[in-house]
Amino acid sequence: YAFTTLTCIPGVMEHRGAKIQILDLPGLIKGAAEGKGRGREILNVIRSADMVLYIVDPFQDGHFDVLHRELHNAGLRLNEEKPPIFIKRTDRGGVEIRSTVEQTHLTNEEMADIIRSFGYTSALVTLREDSTAEQIVDCLAGNRIYETAVIAINKIDIATDNDIARARAALPEEWPVMNISAFKDIGLEEMKDFIYDNLGFMRVYLKPQGQEADMEEPLIVKDDSTVQNICIKLHRDFVRKFRFARIRGPSAKFDDQRVGLDHQLKDGDVLTIVVKR
């Protein structure tokens, strides 16, 4: 897995059994989303990453806003969930809006106008949350990227408490933030855990049939992984030849529970995969 930093931290970081590729990219300038300063090339790399790490200078108030705006304009939705909006083209009947919650941002006709502007003459639209115009456009565009983002405030060796407080006040409230000093090597070890934890990793220990589990080198996977995801990661034939799996650990109701491909794994599970010969 990789996360992208907009400053210069090159290489591969090995931490808690995971190898995390850190991509070193040039800084973005205003207008990067329109291609200025080789912006499209840089943004395409960011779109393929799993995480964006912002390094914030507490003495430069506007830098975060410029970077964040360019990523947003390029279709990156950081620390946002994909909105539960479902649009199905139909043969007739115009644009029909169905909602499971009250819509306070737009009327049905305003929503229909947005949808028709994307070439839909007839469609069934289902909304499962109070949706904004931007969310509907994002759904229709179909090319938005939803990624995790974290922030490190640098230079805490020379910044005062007031400087850091002012910098934090200008950042999104619910985003993960930590303080570091790259020059004085303050917080850099802790930042490894910060990155790992926010990437959403978990450990799965593999136990070949009839053998002991390998408890020394776990498989590091995303924390929403299923048995099928593990099969795909191990060998392309495992899904085709899959018979069943056995689980011990947090996701199992009892030791050696027999499960299928769709079983949701948890951190610390011990997994045995049984395939056809």
Side-chain angles (χ1 to χ4, degrees), residues 158-175:
I158 57 174
T160 65
D161 289 344
N162 286 338
D163 293 330
I164 295 170
R166 187 177 63 251
R168 278 183 175 264
L171 301 174
E173 285 186 14
E174 297 180 357
W175 284 28

Side-chain angles (χ1 to χ4, degrees), residues 3-277:
F3 75 87
T4 299
T5 170
L6 302 182
T7 58
C8 298
I9 307 178
V12 174
M13 181 181 79
E14 295 192 27
H15 188 60
R16 287 158 61 179
K19 292 183 178 180
I20 302 171
Q21 183 184 6
I22 301 176
L23 306 177
D24 176 26
L25 294 177
L28 293 174
I29 63 172
K30 187 175 181 180
E34 286 74 49
K36 291 184 180 178
R38 298 180 64 187
R40 288 200 178 95
E41 296 174 53
I42 299 169
L43 290 164
N44 283 339
V45 174
I46 298 173
R47 289 170 68 90
S48 68
D50 295 297
M51 177 186 285
V52 174
L53 167 63
Y54 290 92
I55 305 294
V56 173
D57 184 332
F59 305 109
Q60 299 290 340
D61 293 341
H63 284 185
F64 173 83
D65 289 339
V66 171
L67 291 172
H68 186 53
R69 183 166 54 252
E70 293 304 323
L71 296 187
H72 190 86
N73 290 346
L76 282 105
R77 300 294 178 259
L78 301 179
N79 293 341
E80 295 183 24
E81 296 289 334
K82 188 174 182 179
I85 300 171
F86 307 93
I87 302 172
K88 181 180 179 181
R89 195 184 296 272
T90 56
D91 294 331
R92 63 181 68 87
V95 177
E96 180 182 355
I97 309 290
R98 297 180 183 176
S99 179
T100 59
V101 298
E102 182 184 2
Q103 298 296 317
T104 63
H105 299 291
L106 299 166
T107 65
N108 283 3
E109 188 53 41
E110 288 170 334
M111 294 180 202
D113 285 343
I114 294 171
I115 292 161
R116 281 192 287 265
S117 73
F118 277 78
Y120 288 76
T121 55
S122 294
L124 175 61
V125 183
T126 304
L127 304 136
R128 294 182 180 165
E129 69 175 26
D130 190 7
S131 303
T132 64
E134 182 176 74
Q135 289 176 321
I136 294 172
V137 169
D138 285 351
C139 179
L140 289 161
N143 61 353
R144 304 312 192 223
I145 302 295
Y146 295 83
E147 283 184 22
T148 301
V150 298
I151 301 170
I153 299 177
N154 195 19
K155 299 185 180 179
I156 64 166
D157 55 309
I158 57 174
T160 65
D161 289 344
N162 286 338
D163 293 330
I164 295 170
R166 187 177 63 251
R168 278 183 175 264
L171 301 174
E173 285 186 14
E174 297 180 357
W175 284 28
V177 181
M178 72 170 297
N179 300 334
I180 65 167
S181 168
F183 181 69
K184 293 287 188 178
D185 196 13
I186 299 171
L188 298 190
E189 281 300 312
E190 292 82 356
M191 190 163 73
K192 294 178 182 179
D193 283 326
F194 180 68
I195 292 166
Y196 183 100
D197 291 339
N198 283 288
L199 274 169
F201 285 147
M202 69 178 178
R203 298 158 299 170
V204 175
Y205 299 91
L206 300 179
K207 181 184 181 301
Q209 219 174 348
Q211 300 179 37
E212 293 298 315
D214 181 358
M215 304 303 291
E216 297 297 322
E217 294 189 18
L219 191 65
I220 306 298
V221 295
K222 296 304 287 288
D223 59 8
D224 59 355
S225 295
T226 63
V227 172
Q228 180 168 342
N229 297 137
I230 303 300
C231 288
I232 293 169
K233 190 175 183 68
L234 292 175
H235 196 283
R236 61 185 181 184
D237 287 338
F238 273 24
V239 173
R240 181 173 59 85
K241 295 182 177 181
F242 181 83
R243 289 179 60 201
F244 60 88
R246 292 199 182 275
I247 295 287
R248 296 180 189 176
S251 77
K253 296 178 181 177
F254 50 85
D255 280 353
D256 295 322
Q257 179 186 354
R258 183 166 168 161
V259 299
L261 286 171
D262 60 351
H263 179 79
Q264 186 78 48
L265 298 164
K266 292 184 179 178
D267 183 50
D269 276 344
V270 178
L271 171 66
T272 298
I273 298 171
V274 181
V275 296
K276 301 171 187 174
R277 294 183 177 179

